[in-house]
Amino acid sequence: MSSAIRMYPAKPNKVYVYATCLVDMFSPQSGLDAMKLLERAGVEIVYVPKQTCCGQPAYSSGYEDDAKTIALSQMELFPEPWPVVVLSGSCGGMMHHHYRRLFAGSEQEQSVNQFCDRVFELTEFLVQVCRIKLDDQGPATSVVLHTSCAARREMKVHVTGRQLLSQLSRVELREQAYESECCGFGGTFSVRHPAISEAMVQDKTQHLAETQAEQLISADWGCLLNINGALEYQGKDLQGTHLATFLLNRLEGSNAQ
């Protein structure tokens, strides 16, 4: 995993958008909203329909050969030297950091590293590359932000998510207890260890609900599926929204979550 301080490029004219399989399957609107945000920031969107999974489930389960096959198939879809903006910090971490490890010492190492250098998580790209300025048009509200483990520890995008929310003049960001702790999803972890996962999401939903925030926001749909499912099972009204949708609604003055 690269430990060098990241140097950010000037804002490009075009970007690829990597929606992630979870956004594609469970919340296509989040992907469309993210693309609208990027267009508002002044970049043209190129979306490749053949994109699928980044390979993280295979990689985290120890199937490195399968992960390599998936990684190569995905990288081939983005041949132009444009940034690849990823709508998930965990997928971003896989593509920016772990692809490097998978191909270290191989004949593809140089080309893979060049691809990895082009991968940015959405909030990171909006803040660090686009330097986006948000004009809040929404009603007063309070939110609590959940950031996935990989987004926080690998991509450091809990910082950029907060920076975006801090630009919204009528949004109060509330702090949850044990904010950095995992929600229990962890991709295949929740399948292999369901009892532990259930206990972890129970703690996470309790801490989120205790903030009494009106809205839950996250930039990772894996976490949102896990947390929203637990909240619904518990009979709580709080439900999570992808950060892209929330930000776009604020810019357009919509009351929708």
Side-chain angles (χ1 to χ4, degrees), residues 119-225:
V119 173
F120 301 87
E121 186 270 347
L122 174 65
T123 66
E124 172 192 29
F125 190 79
L126 289 172
V127 171
Q128 304 289 11
V129 180
C130 294
R131 309 283 181 179
I132 194 171
K133 301 300 180 185
L134 306 177
D135 183 15
D136 192 0
Q137 299 296 315
T141 191
S142 57
V143 302
V144 58
L145 176 67
H146 172 77
T147 310
S148 76
C149 301
R152 173 179 293 271
R153 295 178 175 87
E154 295 178 350
M155 299 299 283
K156 314 298 183 186
V157 295
H158 58 297
V159 176
T160 46
R162 284 176 170 273
Q163 288 175 325
L164 290 170
L165 290 171
S166 71
Q167 293 188 38
L168 303 175
S169 59
R170 295 173 61 77
V171 173
E172 175 194 356
L173 177 59
R174 296 189 177 177
E175 304 286 339
Q176 60 175 293
Y178 305 103
E179 180 181 299
S180 64
E181 289 191 357
C182 178
C183 73
F185 176 62
T188 55
F189 171 85
S190 60
V191 177
R192 296 196 304 266
H193 306 287
I196 298 173
S197 176
E198 181 181 356
M200 293 171 74
V201 77
Q202 179 66 36
D203 285 347
K204 177 59 65 175
T205 54
Q206 176 185 336
H207 298 143
L208 291 169
E210 285 175 350
T211 67
Q212 298 186 342
E214 295 176 71
Q215 299 184 55
L216 163 64
I217 310 299
S218 179
D220 281 82
W221 254 107
C223 298
L224 282 176
L225 286 170

Side-chain angles (χ1 to χ4, degrees), residues 52-56 58-59 63-77 94 99 102-103 108:
T52 57
C53 176
C54 67
Q56 186 188 53
Y59 178 73
Y63 298 100
E64 293 198 357
D65 288 342
D66 292 334
K68 286 181 180 179
T69 300
I70 297 169
L72 288 172
S73 72
Q74 295 308 289
M75 288 186 284
E76 288 176 356
L77 300 175
M94 178 66 187
Y99 279 13
L102 279 172
F103 293 95
Q108 300 107 326

Side-chain angles (χ1 to χ4, degrees), residues 21-32:
C21 50
L22 291 181
V23 167
D24 183 50
M25 289 188 292
F26 295 103
S27 183
Q29 189 61 49
S30 299
L32 295 172

